[in-house]
Amino acid sequence: MSTHLAAISPGKGQRFEVRSRPTPKPGPGELLVAVKSVAINPADGLMRDQGLFIPSYPTVIGFDIAGLVLEVGDDVPTTGATVDGLSFQPGVTRVAAYSASYWKSCDPDYGAFQERCLVPWQHAVPLPDDGMSWNYAATLPVAVQVLFSVWDALGILRVGEGSSASSPALPVSASASTSTSVGTIHGGAREKKNQKREAILIWGASSSVGTMGVQGARLLREDSNSPFAAVYATAGPANERYVRSLGADRVFDYRDPHVAATIVSAAREDGLVIRRCFLATGQLAPCQAVLQAFLGDDDDDEYGEKSKAEVASAPIVPANAKAVDGVETIFVHPSTDKETRLSQFRYWMGTWLRSHLACGIIRPSPEPTVVGKGLGFINAGLDMVLQGVSCTKLVVEVEE
């Protein structure tokens, strides 16, 4: 039996140990991926230190993967026979993938932090033929998953869809995005077009999931079917220019003690309301304060609802979080139902991300920082991410 190296989690609160373990064979609908780079997420650190989501040990964890397809199981598309031509060729197809470890009770065969990993094909996206590096590719999966989990939680339709979020939507092309009928902001006076009366707020916009949130929100702003006329974001002053380059119309300093009032004032100046917020990282309370300020603005009748406000949170919502009347807080995650989850990832990765990468409309963000080469650097990466990083995604290079 062939073997490979893995960063093994031996027990709750214990540092990972690099050991050899058996290399599995892919089952039906699965890929065996040679892992080239992995990205580090805050949840990985919580899983190592607190045992979050882990029912038994030893195991292998991790979510973000970039690598080469080595083998495929039965029922995996290999000839481009799907409607959109998606296929996975052993030894040829380079992918970014989201591990299925969480849904497999942390079965070590499915964790990202090892040289060989099993992945459902629906969780993977073939990389474009433009030489995207493994490190950049590894930054994508979790960021895209969180983006769409947020949009689903907030009831936001996919770009290009006017009535349902259940069928695939094509990307907004660069030319179409500049000509869509979108409300514009001019010195406080806003032209009302296509009922675009909302700004969407991305809190923690310089984080990995936050930067993808800004890119996704930009596409909503450019879509004539969405109610969003502007993208508001919070970030530190050092990252303001970068966040604007991704599509934010206004960027506010989250460290300003009056930031919530400043955001409310800006929206009123622009003639907009804020009813939906994506909390990528940071504190819940100021998000709630912003949304609460607009609960009395009863101008949502045209959308069929009145003063509904929601915060979709990527971080786990603390048990002691204060409830605010009229503002719902939702912790986002993919479905636990297998068929629903595979369908979600099939669209998120194989349709949306694949087409938008090919068109250059979406790019990996933020810039990756390489912690080191080899699985032995996973612990250091987890230590760094738990201490906090800004406007970068930590990656570890696993294989050449």
Side-chain angles (χ1 to χ4, degrees), residues 182-242:
V182 175
T184 54
I185 302 167
H186 295 297
R190 183 173 168 273
E191 298 173 12
K192 296 182 179 179
K193 297 183 180 181
N194 293 335
Q195 312 302 328
K196 284 181 168 287
R197 306 178 65 180
E198 291 188 48
I200 188 167
L201 176 60
I202 313 297
W203 196 281
S206 63
S207 66
S208 176
V209 295
T211 60
M212 187 59 68
V214 172
Q215 293 193 71
R218 183 194 76 232
L219 298 184
L220 292 174
R221 183 193 64 207
E222 295 167 350
D223 180 20
S224 60
N225 290 320
S226 92
F228 301 106
V231 180
Y232 288 4
T234 68
N239 299 322
E240 177 181 354
R241 178 174 296 182
Y242 181 71

Side-chain angles (χ1 to χ4, degrees), residues 49-78:
D49 293 354
Q50 301 178 20
L52 182 69
F53 305 137
I54 300 176
S56 62
Y57 294 91
T59 191
V60 180
I61 67 167
F63 295 98
D64 276 319
I65 300 166
L68 179 69
V69 174
L70 290 182
E71 300 177 28
V72 300
D74 294 339
D75 304 321
V76 172
T78 58

Side-chain angles (χ1 to χ4, degrees), residues 37-39 64-66 96 133-142 393 395:
S37 292
V38 294
D64 276 319
I65 300 166
S133 75
W134 299 120
N135 293 338
Y136 278 92
T139 69
L140 291 166
V142 165
K393 182 87 169 187
V395 300

Side-chain angles (χ1 to χ4, degrees), residues 86-104:
L86 188 66
S87 68
F88 300 91
Q89 298 288 334
V92 175
T93 305
R94 304 167 67 248
V95 297
Y98 190 112
S99 90
S101 172
Y102 170 78
W103 296 276
K104 298 287 186 177

